[in-house]
Amino acid sequence: MIAIANVDKNWGIGKNNNLLLHFKEDMDFFKEKTIGNICIMGRKTLFSFPNNEPLKDRINIVLTKNKNIIEKEYKKYDNIYFFEDKASVITFLKKFNNKKFFVIGGASIYNLFLDDTKVAFITKMKKNFDADTFFPNLDLNKDFSITNISKNKYNIKNDLYYNFITYKRSSINE
């Protein structure tokens, strides 16, 4: 599993079911990494997408307790699947040995799959926002270490410095 997230200095990822900040470079990075692969998310993350539509050119896996209700609304899409528990997701993913599996949010989904996560691609903004949702702080997690960090980047539109950081798990329980 690979986690991918955009976090602020305090590992905040969102507020009121929205990203803290949308900016092109982060969206391009997300698309580059996830296109053609599988994205695992919760219901609220799906509903945060434009028009509540699944991501194009990716297989969308949605973990929700409301599977039977929500699934009916998405019958017109052939790239989205709904599951009620982690075990069902893991079983389904065994069909796809040629794809990468990206956990894309929200907070409860990141936490649910953290023990299975081998790599995390983090866009880390060098600014604090008023967040109500957080990603687990990998800087404090002894199982993860930074293996790559981009030079400081700057988004002039938002007066924002940020880095793309890759964290890898030093050992994973198999």
Side-chain angles (χ1 to χ4, degrees):
M1 295 275 171
I2 303 166
I4 188 165
N6 175 340
V7 305
D8 74 359
K9 283 176 80 172
N10 291 321
W11 292 84
I13 57 172
K15 176 139 186 191
N16 299 327
N17 201 38
N18 289 304
L19 292 176
L20 296 174
L21 180 67
H22 292 266
F23 61 100
K24 182 180 180 341
E25 298 89 344
D26 179 57
M27 295 296 169
D28 290 348
F29 181 77
F30 175 86
K31 186 175 181 181
E32 171 197 325
K33 294 293 185 189
T34 62
I35 203 89
N37 289 297
I38 297 175
C39 292
I40 303 163
M41 68 197 84
R43 171 186 52 84
K44 290 179 185 176
T45 297
L46 171 65
F47 289 169
S48 73
F49 298 153
N51 302 316
N52 299 339
E53 292 183 357
L55 297 169
K56 292 182 172 106
D57 303 318
R58 285 154 273 206
I59 295 170
N60 294 254
I61 304 291
V62 180
L63 197 55
T64 177
K65 291 180 177 73
N66 301 317
K67 175 185 180 287
N68 295 332
I69 297 167
I70 296 169
E71 195 170 38
K72 294 174 188 173
E73 299 172 28
Y74 286 88
K75 286 189 180 208
K76 67 181 178 180
Y77 300 101
D78 62 0
N79 68 333
I80 189 165
Y81 301 88
F82 295 88
F83 297 93
E84 292 181 320
D85 58 67
K86 179 182 174 182
S88 300
V89 171
I90 298 295
T91 299
F92 181 76
L93 293 177
K94 291 178 181 174
K95 299 177 185 181
F96 300 96
N97 58 4
N98 63 337
K99 302 264 186 210
K100 293 178 182 172
F101 311 135
F102 286 88
V103 180
I104 67 168
S108 63
I109 303 300
Y110 286 128
N111 283 307
L112 183 65
F113 286 96
L114 187 63
D115 288 344
D116 304 292
T117 299
K118 295 180 182 181
V119 175
F121 294 121
I122 304 297
T123 303
K124 193 156 190 191
M125 301 179 288
K126 297 185 177 194
K127 188 183 253 187
N128 286 330
F129 291 85
D130 181 23
D132 63 11
T133 311
F134 295 84
F135 189 94
N137 185 336
L138 298 182
D139 291 331
L140 300 178
N141 187 322
K142 62 180 174 30
D143 293 332
F144 284 90
S145 58
I146 294 173
T147 59
N148 190 36
I149 185 166
S150 70
K151 292 182 181 176
N152 275 341
K153 297 184 176 290
Y154 181 69
N155 176 287
I156 194 165
K157 179 181 175 190
N158 297 298
D159 189 28
L160 175 73
Y161 285 95
Y162 64 96
N163 297 98
F164 295 119
I165 304 174
T166 304
Y167 291 82
K168 286 194 179 171
R169 182 179 291 278
S170 43
S171 63
I172 189 155
N173 300 333
E174 299 285 343

